[in-house]
Amino acid sequence: MDAQRYFDVGGMRALRLEDPRLITGRGQYAADWNLDGQLHAVFLRSDRAHARIVKLDCARARSAPGVRWIATGEDAVRAGFIKAPHQLTFIGVDGRKARVPDRPALAHERVRYVGEPVAMVVAERALQAQDAAAAIDVTYQDLPAAIGAEHALSPQAPRIHDDVPGNLALELEVGDRAAVDAVFARAHRITRLKVDCTRVTPSPMEPRACLSSYDQAHDCYTIRVCLQGINTMKQQIAAYMNLDEAKMRVIGRDVGGGFGQRSTVYPEYCMSLHAAKVLGRPVKWVSSRSESFMTDTHGRANIGAGELAMDANGRFLALRFDWITDQGGYVSSGGVGYIRNIVNCLTGVYAIPLAHARFRVALTNTGLVASFRGAGRPDIAYAVERLVQQAAADVGLDAVALRRRNFIAPHAFPYRTATGTVYEMADLPGLLEEALARADWAGFERRRAAASAQGKLRGIGISTVIEASGAGTAPRDEVLLEVAAGGKITAYSASHSQGQGHETTLAMIIGAALGIAPEQVVLRQAVDEKNLAGNATNGSRTMVGAGSVCKIAAERLIERGRALAAEEFAVEPSQVDYSHGVFRERESARMLTLAEVAQRGEFSARGEGTFGSTWPNGCHIAEVEIDAETGKAEIAAYVAVDDCGVVINHSIVEGQIHGAVTQGAGQVFGEHVVYDRDSGQLLTGSFMDYVMPRAGWVREIRMAERPTPSTLTPLGVKGAGEAGCTASLGALSNAVHDALRPLGIGALDMPLTAAKLWGAITAARNHLHRGRIA
């Protein structure tokens, strides 16, 4: 398939079909929706991490100008909005299920994190609601806060929920513990490393927003909202509000970034829908950026203590991890990925015969943690690649040689891992060799010496990874194609773009299958009345699921058109050929275009299919230079060689990888959600305090595609949306540690800020100086 091209969109030359609409201000985001007679909601939020609500006096606020209703936790409980949906359904140790506490849509009796909604004010104008919220008088009795997952699980930590002893929602074990312990007992060498995959916030450009309405005549709700998939959002809202899904209508259009944060239901959505029913008028809510920092689900927040057992030749024998995942104040709907995806990729790209992992899910007095670009895949890849790098140092082997020695060989695929996961085809040695050549690995020591002459510490790092694309939760994916009388084809999909370019890639797939220009295809997403089954856009799976089904739907459209044309020609369908948008009767050469078939009646086709996980993989190599006098680190070079299967559009894949690598760089060098250990106050509640990656951080990425087509999908695609995050954490961190190695500096946790690096360099130099004096 044509991998890189420009499109003619209304006379404008564009790399993506959606770009002219978006860059000329014709996008429609959640905050752009308005309805006649709408009211505005504002939420009063807890200003402390853990406290009892002693008094909640709304009298003065209720009499404020424009106020139409104020709801509190009592209203949320009375309405039954107390059990937020979740997927933490694993069976834990001793056969125990997860302890999942109730989560009232508005805090009831206690607050458990800074930013938890305590009351909702609905008024004629947003500023009136904001003023009234400030007039609510709340008296709290402060309680001790449990900040940090390890502290929360300690015996001295305060209990956050009465029904969750020890703040432990779930303890789970995977793998053969006894067999792994036996191997470790006789191993020639054991490498140990503990990593903290720090808490970050997705920070999409578009803050959350919703416009809710209620149709009394039909007893049904409608919400216009930013989302990643219509069905996922509908199911979660219906579950939280105890509704039949048929009573819930979801509408979405353009979405300004997602990264997993849009795939979960939030209390504000339920309460605004409830207010619309109570008041009989639409209710609109738009989050502020400050609210986003406090209440949008965060990502990562995992701690992993890993151990790798090796024989005398550096062969990996067994792996074990003790993993703690921080869920925040409640169990989120998207937090399950930090177990499932870690289990799937526990041994990475290495042929490790045995593995065991212990998982503990902790509750803390902090904001909730849910899926964030990769949802566990970058976390475990980072942990494994850092552990392997440390193992190379421990045994005195080159990091590349150790990887080569332990890669899963190409002939071993499909490969069943120690946790039972089956990887499809990958060429790991080939990826490595191409990355080494493109990065000029052999010439690195010259570059290190040149940097040293300028007072810089230069290091090189490598990360070779494999990840599972999202398996999806829907029973199947569906796409509907409708041909209009003018020849335009409208494709309807349940998946939802948040900037990935679906309007382009899905149109390219349909266009290629039909032999027509992609410009002839228009994609519509989140059209509820089409009643399409399908998965949300997450886990790099849209091309795997919806993309594959686009091809199937196009093929069915051809067969449907062949039958209609045959009826018109009065021949058997087998006598009708199709090519490039035209049906031809074989004997008489009579023809009908797609448009002409549509002019004679309804012309549509629905494609469906069920596709599980595919296995994108890649090798990234980074070089970093650190100014020894300031600690400032810069990315000097970056090479990414990825296998995302068949590439539909090279430019879009390049954009996905570049963006994901930059997000990874953000986490490595600056991004970190920080709470005060004593008070639980959010210390990084704005972009003044929370470090976001800048455009200049990743100035150039040399990319290459080395695809092995997937055998699990009709298109041969594997997915590309998260590859950059998954590989970059390890590559960049390993590069920093390689730069620090000559000074004898050991493992450092992310973020590797200038202050942290300067402190480590200064301490190491002082230690060396004292040693020379002694």
Side-chain angles (χ1 to χ4, degrees), residues 58-74:
C58 301
R60 190 159 66 96
R62 286 195 172 98
S63 63
V67 172
R68 295 294 172 260
W69 190 45
I70 296 178
T72 67
E74 290 185 359

Side-chain angles (χ1 to χ4, degrees), residues 231-242:
N231 295 324
T232 300
M233 185 59 70
K234 179 189 294 188
Q235 291 159 5
Q236 292 193 32
I237 292 175
Y240 209 160
M241 296 181 68
N242 304 302

Side-chain angles (χ1 to χ4, degrees), residues 445-671:
E445 289 304 329
R446 293 193 303 274
R447 297 190 293 278
R448 192 202 292 269
S452 180
Q454 298 177 5
K456 302 287 183 70
L457 302 171
R458 189 164 181 136
I460 192 166
I462 187 169
S463 180
T464 307
V465 302
I466 193 166
E467 56 178 340
S469 69
T473 57
R476 63 190 179 280
D477 284 294
E478 290 183 335
V479 166
L480 174 65
L481 301 183
E482 293 180 348
V483 185
K488 275 284 186 185
I489 297 174
T490 302
Y492 297 91
S493 170
S495 64
H496 206 100
S497 174
Q498 313 106 55
Q500 294 94 334
H502 293 174
E503 292 177 44
T504 300
T505 47
L506 296 184
M508 288 178 70
I509 293 167
I510 294 165
L514 295 177
I516 62 174
E519 290 92 331
Q520 242 179 283
V521 182
V522 176
L523 176 67
R524 292 196 60 196
Q525 305 165 101
V527 180
D528 198 70
E529 57 266 28
K530 296 301 180 181
N531 196 30
L532 289 171
N535 290 283
T537 293
N538 49 39
S540 302
R541 73 155 284 113
T542 293
M543 288 306 106
V544 173
S548 295
V549 174
C550 279
K551 183 176 187 291
I552 293 169
E555 291 168 348
R556 289 185 178 177
L557 188 72
I558 292 171
E559 292 310 306
R560 172 65 177 153
R562 196 190 308 275
L564 293 172
E567 188 176 323
E568 180 73 17
F569 299 149
V571 299
E572 290 294 319
S574 61
Q575 298 303 304
V576 178
D577 296 325
Y578 173 83
S579 178
H580 296 89
V582 178
F583 295 94
R584 289 183 173 83
E585 197 267 311
R586 196 170 298 155
E587 297 299 326
S588 67
R590 287 179 295 173
M591 65 178 64
L592 286 174
T593 65
L594 289 168
E596 289 169 336
V597 174
Q599 289 163 14
R600 286 160 169 76
E602 180 194 353
F603 185 17
S604 65
R606 185 181 295 244
E608 64 178 56
T610 302
F611 307 97
S613 293
T614 55
W615 297 92
N617 53 93
C619 181
H620 289 205
I621 296 175
E623 292 186 34
V624 169
E625 279 192 357
I626 304 170
D627 187 323
E629 301 306 317
T630 65
K632 183 181 179 181
E634 291 188 351
I635 301 171
Y638 199 99
V639 168
V641 180
D642 284 286
D643 171 12
C644 53
V646 172
V647 175
I648 305 300
N649 184 296
H650 177 84
S651 296
I652 287 176
V653 167
E654 184 177 278
Q656 287 290 302
I657 292 174
H658 200 150
V661 167
T662 303
Q663 275 189 311
Q667 183 171 3
V668 171
F669 294 115
E671 290 193 59

Side-chain angles (χ1 to χ4, degrees), residues 131 133 138 141 190 196 204 470 567 644 653 667 707:
D131 289 343
V138 188
Q141 177 190 352
I190 298 172
D196 184 354
E567 188 176 323
C644 53
V653 167
Q667 183 171 3

Side-chain angles (χ1 to χ4, degrees), residues 7 31 58 168 191 259 261 277 316 328 331 359 365 392 573 590 643 665 715:
F7 302 95
C58 301
L168 181 63
T191 288
F259 314 119
Q261 180 250 54
K277 179 177 181 178
F316 300 163
V331 173
F359 295 89
N365 289 120
R590 287 179 295 173
D643 171 12
L715 296 171

